[in-house]
Amino acid sequence: VKWDSLQFEPGTTPATGAYNTVPIPVPAPALKLQSSPDLKNKIMWNSEVERFTNVQASGRLKAGVSYYKILRAAQALGPWLLVDSVGKKDFRYFNLATSEYLVHDPNSKLGETYFYSVVAVDSLGGTSAMSNIKAHTTSKGSEALLKHVYVAPNPLIVTSTFGGSASVSGAEITDKIGFYGLTEKATIRIFSYSGQLIQTIEHDNINSNDVEWFQITRNNQLLASGVYFFTVDDLIGGKRTTGKFVIIH
């Protein structure tokens, strides 16, 4: 027993009753993020938080939900930019059949990773906590058929300051190569000019037609300057395509 502080004794706590000494915060809506064919990220959430009515004067929300603010940032800690504001049950964004909101981010760019959050706002200006922050890398949905796969940037010049972001912890964005135009399930094999297998990459994602690679070989070495060839096998349709790219350090 700590005699110098107030102790909590479970045995003397009532088994039932109202515990209203601490306000219950209204949670932020649960987010779903998806890529779209036009590269405008889709931010989706349902209307569950609108059913919450146990608001308290000392809580974060002091009245019913009035509208939502959709926020985006390049880093998880911000600064946060306003993507859009959506009124409660606004027919332009709300699907009555699924009870789900859908907003497109008009400024998302291919290959870049963004952090999103949606906060509920009441009629008095109170907001829910930003407890639903999620990251998403902008991409394009998988191709139905394997046609033309291309590499960007090509040639890759390490000093070119190519845009985008690195989703792999510790990776250098200047080493990033993207393979685009992939089907849902595909295998990429990269070969040196002499025909040596450099790396094998497996792609299995219906929501993305691209995959990133940071020039790390299967022997965990950084790629040297030169011309490299690749093959892509569609694991569903059985088709194969080939190409090449150039690395300049």
Side-chain angles (χ1 to χ4, degrees):
V1 176
K2 293 184 179 180
W3 299 105
D4 60 344
S5 62
L6 182 64
Q7 301 300 299
F8 171 73
E9 179 53 56
T12 60
T13 302
T16 60
Y19 300 90
N20 57 3
T21 57
V22 179
I24 302 174
V26 177
L31 294 189
K32 291 192 298 182
L33 303 175
Q34 289 183 1
S35 299
S36 62
D38 59 0
L39 302 181
K40 293 179 175 58
N41 291 333
K42 296 191 293 185
I43 305 107
M44 296 168 288
W45 69 97
N46 61 35
S47 58
E48 285 289 327
V49 297
E50 296 171 15
R51 298 166 52 188
F52 191 89
T53 57
N54 187 22
V55 295
Q56 301 179 34
S58 58
R60 295 187 66 96
L61 292 189
K62 301 173 178 60
V65 175
S66 177
Y67 69 98
Y68 300 92
K69 292 196 297 185
I70 299 89
L71 306 172
R72 183 193 70 215
Q75 304 293 333
L77 296 178
W80 293 91
L81 302 175
L82 182 66
V83 175
D84 206 345
S85 295
V86 175
K88 181 179 176 180
K89 298 297 193 298
D90 188 329
F91 71 92
R92 295 172 299 175
Y93 307 97
F94 184 71
N95 186 326
L96 188 60
T98 62
S99 296
E100 191 171 71
Y101 291 87
L102 169 61
V103 172
H104 290 83
D105 181 2
N107 297 314
S108 52
K109 297 180 180 179
L110 180 65
E112 294 198 356
T113 300
Y114 302 96
F115 292 84
Y116 291 95
S117 178
V118 173
V119 296
V121 185
D122 66 17
S123 57
L124 299 177
T127 62
S128 63
M130 294 175 63
S131 57
N132 56 5
I133 298 174
K134 294 186 69 174
H136 181 73
T137 301
T138 308
S139 61
K140 187 178 179 181
S142 296
E143 300 290 343
L145 300 173
L146 188 64
K147 298 177 182 177
H148 175 64
V149 176
Y150 59 96
V151 174
N154 188 13
L156 172 65
I157 303 175
V158 173
T159 57
S160 66
T161 64
F162 174 60
S165 55
S167 63
V168 178
S169 177
E172 294 289 340
I173 185 59
T174 51
D175 294 329
K176 179 178 175 179
I177 298 174
F179 291 85
Y180 300 90
L182 303 173
T183 53
E184 176 183 348
K185 295 177 183 276
T187 299
I188 304 169
R189 293 182 176 87
I190 302 164
F191 300 89
S192 67
Y193 189 80
S194 61
Q196 180 184 7
L197 178 63
I198 299 297
Q199 185 59 281
T200 300
I201 304 171
E202 300 294 341
H203 175 264
D204 186 358
N205 191 343
I206 193 173
N207 293 317
S208 174
N209 81 333
D210 62 83
V211 66
E212 58 185 17
W213 180 51
F214 293 91
Q215 300 185 58
I216 301 301
T217 72
R218 59 178 182 158
N219 295 322
N220 202 31
Q221 296 173 311
L222 185 63
L223 216 59
S225 298
V227 178
Y228 294 87
F229 300 89
F230 67 88
T231 64
V232 179
D233 294 303
D234 180 2
L235 301 183
I236 297 179
K239 188 177 179 181
R240 169 177 288 184
T241 187
T242 61
K244 64 182 177 181
F245 58 92
V246 177
I247 302 294
I248 302 175
H249 285 286

